[in-house]
């Protein structure tokens, strides 16, 4: 049976069009996994679809409904593309797509491969967790308990043609969304391994990684890593940064609405030599590069070793705000004297003014300070804007607490804080814990607290510029 020609609509954007040099055939077909919810967790339970002819060759979908996957208790679905007669090698780019019954949701995985006698099939062992497939809100599991798998394939006349197309694709303007998870065209969701109690670290790293300007600055930080040309090209392929991810601390990260989250990412090839074991920037570069190019969870052992941690430290909870500052301070030191010198400060640094102003005489004391994150009250506040109002609320100094205004003597005064400048990326720490003096311990505040997708802080900024209003969109959240 011949594969169907490309549809008028819905052809995956990751794949080439018919007019691309070297493309000899294009087609698609589907396969239904029956009785999906009844499939046992069995690495040997496989299914093969009907043979489809494309480019004069026989192809088919090869599925393991539910296999064991590390970190996925309920198992995962594996899907592969198989070339039946590999005696004549064949180069192909393909997208495996799982669609919902009403096609409201689709999940794509993209790959290229040179099929030959030593490698007759290619695909994804952990295509999608079974729990996600069975999630009724997604609709991947139909009413008759089947799952629909689509295969979209573009065949090339040679491996060289495929690689040439892929190289040109890397230079093109990237596009995609969170559910199109090609490692070469979009930034997908790849996890980080937990060393024991490093979930807070992983969330911080994911949030920073998905901040494109920061990621680019990390890649350009001087280190002694000798990045190869292929690594440079592969790193430059990814671009979409629209997805939300975990964030630092119990709180939220907001990105200024003017920030372009898609940026070029190219690891630097610097001659600046340093001890690799102790190099935080180099270890962070490796983690980011692996997050960008790997199809499986990434380890952080080398990164924590660069902090000077041992295995005991990995099982201890550390302060995520302090860890964030350690990372950024280390990067700023390495960036001195380079084109990236002020990037960290430009991204995360804001300015606030602490003041004491006398009520009845013309006397004041003011001091402007930098801040890289803000700790916001949760207790007594139901919304983030209420927390900001508490933050800038003035305190009247009177009675026995009058302010000594030097030549004016003791005067009634207002003490408070006002914001002079907000950063491009705003890190907010929600104060979910407070000390209980009666119990002599920290207790968690479980009160309702709301934070919006869009945050306008214009009212809290002195001398706000209407052309550059502090309007943010929610980028990442962590509740720990």
């Amino acid at each position: 049976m011949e594969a169907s020609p490309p549809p008028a609509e819905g052809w995956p954007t990751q794949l080439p069009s018919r007019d691309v040099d070297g493309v000899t055939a294009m087609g698609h077909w589907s396969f239904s996994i029956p009785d999906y919810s009844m499939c046992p967790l069995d690495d040997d339970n496989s299914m093969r679809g009907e043979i489809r002819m494309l480019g004069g060759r026989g192809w088919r979908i090869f599925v393991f409904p539910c296999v064991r996957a590390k970190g996925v208790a309920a198992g995962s679905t594996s899907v592969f593309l198989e070339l039946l007669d590999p005696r004549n090698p064949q180069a192909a780019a393909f997208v495996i797509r799982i669609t919902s019954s009403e096609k409201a949701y689709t999940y794509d995985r993209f790959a290229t491969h040179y099929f030959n006698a030593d490698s007759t099939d290619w695909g994804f062992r952990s295509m999608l967790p079974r729990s996600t497939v069975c999630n009724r809100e997604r609709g991947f599991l139909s009413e008759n308990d089947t799952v629909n798998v689509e295969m979209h394939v573009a065949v090339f006349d040679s491996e060289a043609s495929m690689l040439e197309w892929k190289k040109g694709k890397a230079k093109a303007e990237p596009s995609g969304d969170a559910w199109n998870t090609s490692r070469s065209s979009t930034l997908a969701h790849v996890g980080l391994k937990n060393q024991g109690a490093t979930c807070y670290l992983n969330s911080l790293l994911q949030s920073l990684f998905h901040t494109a300007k920061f990621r680019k600055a990390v890649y350009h930080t001087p280190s002694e890593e000798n990045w190869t040309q292929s690594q440079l090209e592969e790193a430059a392929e990814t671009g979409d940064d629209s997805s939300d991810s975990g964030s630092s601390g119990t709180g939220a990260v907001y990105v200024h609405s003017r920030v372009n989250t898609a940026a070029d990412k190219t690891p630097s090839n610097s001659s600046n030599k340093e001890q690799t074991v102790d190099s935080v920037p180099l270890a962070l570069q490796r983690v980011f590069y692996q997050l960008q190019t790997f199809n499986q969870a990434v380890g952080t052992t080398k990164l924590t070793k660069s902090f000077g941690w041992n295995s005991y430290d990995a099982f201890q909870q550390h302060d995520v705000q302090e860890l964030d500052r350690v990372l950024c301070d280390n990067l700023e030191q390495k960036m001195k004297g380079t084109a990236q010198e002020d990037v960290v400060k430009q991204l995360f640094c804001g300015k606030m003014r602490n003041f004491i102003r006398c009520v009845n005489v013309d006397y004041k004391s003011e001091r402007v300070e930098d801040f890289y994150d803000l700790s916001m009250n949760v207790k007594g506040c139901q919304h983030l804007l209420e927390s900001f109002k508490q933050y800038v609320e003035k305190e009247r100094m009177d009675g026995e607490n009058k302010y000594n205004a030097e030549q004016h003597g003791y005067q009634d005064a207002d003490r408070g804080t006002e914001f002079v400048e907000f950063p491009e990326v705003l890190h907010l720490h929600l104060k979910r814990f407070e000390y209980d003096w009666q119990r002599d311990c920290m207790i968690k505040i479980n009160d309702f607290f709301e934070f919006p997708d869009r945050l306008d802080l214009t009212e809290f900024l002195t001398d706000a510029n209407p052309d550059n209003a502090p309007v943010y969109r929610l980028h990442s959240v962590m509740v720990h």
Side-chain angles (χ1 to χ4, degrees):
M1 186 181 297
E2 290 287 335
S4 302
E9 296 181 359
W11 183 252
T13 58
Q14 302 98 317
L15 295 178
S17 57
R18 187 172 290 279
D19 58 357
V20 170
D21 290 341
V23 174
T24 60
M26 301 172 66
H28 74 105
W29 65 96
S30 62
F31 174 75
S32 293
I33 307 174
D35 303 320
Y36 181 83
S37 63
M38 303 299 292
C39 292
L41 184 61
D42 186 353
D43 292 352
D44 296 323
N45 180 30
S46 63
M47 301 178 181
R48 284 176 167 83
E50 294 182 357
I51 298 174
R52 301 296 175 125
M53 301 303 295
L54 182 64
R57 314 295 297 280
W59 305 82
R60 65 182 172 188
I61 296 175
F62 183 19
V63 174
F64 291 84
C66 191
V67 298
R68 291 172 178 81
K70 188 174 182 179
V72 184
S76 184
T77 299
S78 301
V79 186
F80 301 88
L81 174 63
E82 182 181 19
L83 176 64
L84 295 186
D85 184 3
R87 288 175 295 181
N88 295 316
Q90 185 72 71
F94 60 96
V95 165
I96 302 174
R97 171 175 291 172
I98 296 181
T99 62
S100 62
S101 55
E102 298 179 357
K103 297 203 173 184
Y105 291 95
T106 63
Y107 182 76
D108 291 0
R109 296 296 294 271
F110 164 82
T112 59
H113 188 61
Y114 186 57
F115 295 84
N116 54 64
D118 295 324
S119 183
T120 60
D121 57 72
W122 199 255
F124 303 94
R125 175 172 173 80
S126 183
M127 175 71 185
L128 201 60
R130 183 172 183 168
S131 58
T132 302
V133 178
C134 293
N135 186 337
R136 291 293 179 181
E137 293 183 2
R138 294 293 183 189
F140 292 122
L141 193 62
S142 68
E143 292 183 359
N144 61 354
D145 200 26
T146 62
V147 174
N148 187 54
V149 179
E150 295 180 0
M151 186 70 70
H152 300 257
V153 184
V155 176
F156 289 83
D157 57 12
S158 67
E159 184 182 21
S161 296
M162 182 180 70
L163 294 176
E164 186 65 26
W165 165 77
K166 192 175 179 182
K167 181 178 179 181
K169 174 181 169 62
K171 298 177 181 178
E173 183 66 25
S175 63
D177 56 49
W179 280 92
N180 287 331
T181 59
S182 161
R183 299 307 294 159
S184 63
S185 64
T186 64
L187 284 179
H189 300 292
V190 174
L192 290 160
K193 297 177 182 177
N194 191 341
Q195 295 185 45
T198 57
C199 47
Y200 67 95
L201 167 65
N202 293 353
S203 297
L204 171 62
L205 291 175
Q206 288 281 15
S207 178
L208 294 175
F209 171 72
H210 282 87
T211 305
K213 285 187 177 181
F214 180 82
R215 183 172 65 249
K216 180 179 179 181
V218 169
Y219 283 148
H220 284 281
T221 303
S223 73
E224 75 162 0
E225 180 66 272
N226 295 317
W227 298 98
T228 66
Q229 184 61 32
S230 62
Q231 286 175 318
L232 292 172
E233 291 178 358
E234 190 168 7
E237 287 183 8
T238 52
D240 189 282
D241 194 37
S242 60
S243 56
D244 292 342
S245 63
S247 158
S248 57
T250 303
V253 175
Y254 281 86
V255 178
H256 197 288
S257 59
R258 70 174 182 271
V259 174
N260 178 11
T261 55
D264 176 41
K265 302 108 192 141
T266 309
S268 66
N269 186 11
S270 172
S271 60
N272 183 30
K273 304 297 182 182
E274 57 184 310
Q275 293 296 321
T276 59
V277 175
D278 300 328
S279 172
V280 173
L282 176 56
L284 191 58
Q285 283 177 344
R286 286 172 174 163
V287 169
F288 277 14
Y289 180 77
Q290 290 168 358
L291 280 172
Q292 189 167 333
T293 60
F294 278 24
N295 284 313
Q296 58 187 2
V298 174
T300 58
T301 304
K302 290 183 178 179
L303 178 62
T304 54
K305 282 185 177 179
S306 72
F307 299 160
W309 291 6
N310 54 31
S311 57
Y312 174 79
D313 292 310
F315 281 87
Q316 302 299 310
Q317 291 287 347
H318 295 263
D319 185 86
V320 74
Q321 286 180 289
E322 181 182 352
L323 181 60
D324 188 21
R325 290 305 315 135
V326 168
L327 284 173
C328 291
D329 287 346
N330 203 293
L331 288 170
E332 283 187 292
Q333 289 296 321
K334 295 295 181 182
M335 290 175 181
K336 285 185 177 179
T338 72
Q340 307 297 316
E341 182 171 358
D342 297 323
V343 169
V344 172
K345 191 167 186 177
Q346 290 170 359
L347 281 176
F348 302 116
C349 183
K351 296 184 182 295
M352 64 171 65
R353 181 185 294 115
N354 296 312
F355 63 85
I356 299 178
R357 295 169 184 156
C358 292
V359 177
N360 301 313
V361 298
D362 186 16
Y363 187 88
K364 62 183 178 181
S365 173
E366 296 180 342
R367 183 178 70 256
V368 175
E369 297 179 347
D370 292 342
F371 69 87
Y372 284 81
D373 53 57
L374 298 172
S375 293
M376 312 303 296
N377 286 335
V378 172
K379 189 173 184 178
C381 302
Q382 290 193 331
H383 194 282
L384 185 57
L385 289 177
E386 293 182 28
S387 298
F388 268 97
K389 290 177 181 178
Q390 275 197 13
Y391 204 103
V392 299
E393 191 174 20
K394 297 178 183 178
E395 176 191 356
R396 177 58 58 92
M397 303 175 67
D398 55 12
E400 296 182 355
N401 194 34
K402 287 186 177 182
Y403 177 63
N404 186 358
E406 298 184 347
Q407 68 271 23
H408 300 286
Y410 288 91
Q411 295 286 332
D412 291 347
D414 289 328
R415 176 168 59 188
T417 299
E418 57 191 13
F419 293 104
V420 179
E421 181 181 328
F422 283 110
E424 290 190 26
V425 180
L426 179 62
H427 281 197
L428 301 178
H429 170 248
L430 306 183
K431 294 161 67 174
R432 281 282 185 186
F433 289 87
E434 68 174 13
Y435 187 74
D436 188 321
W437 292 97
Q438 293 183 339
R439 301 181 188 177
D440 190 26
C441 64
M442 299 295 291
I443 60 171
K444 186 174 183 179
I445 302 171
N446 291 306
D447 298 349
F448 172 85
F449 189 81
E450 183 179 2
F451 42 88
D453 291 331
R454 180 181 181 275
L455 181 65
D456 188 346
L457 298 179
T458 303
E459 64 178 294
F460 304 105
L461 185 64
T462 59
D463 302 325
N465 181 357
D467 296 329
N468 190 24
V471 179
Y472 294 86
R473 58 181 176 81
L474 185 61
H475 176 62
S476 54
V477 178
M478 174 185 172
V479 179
H480 187 258

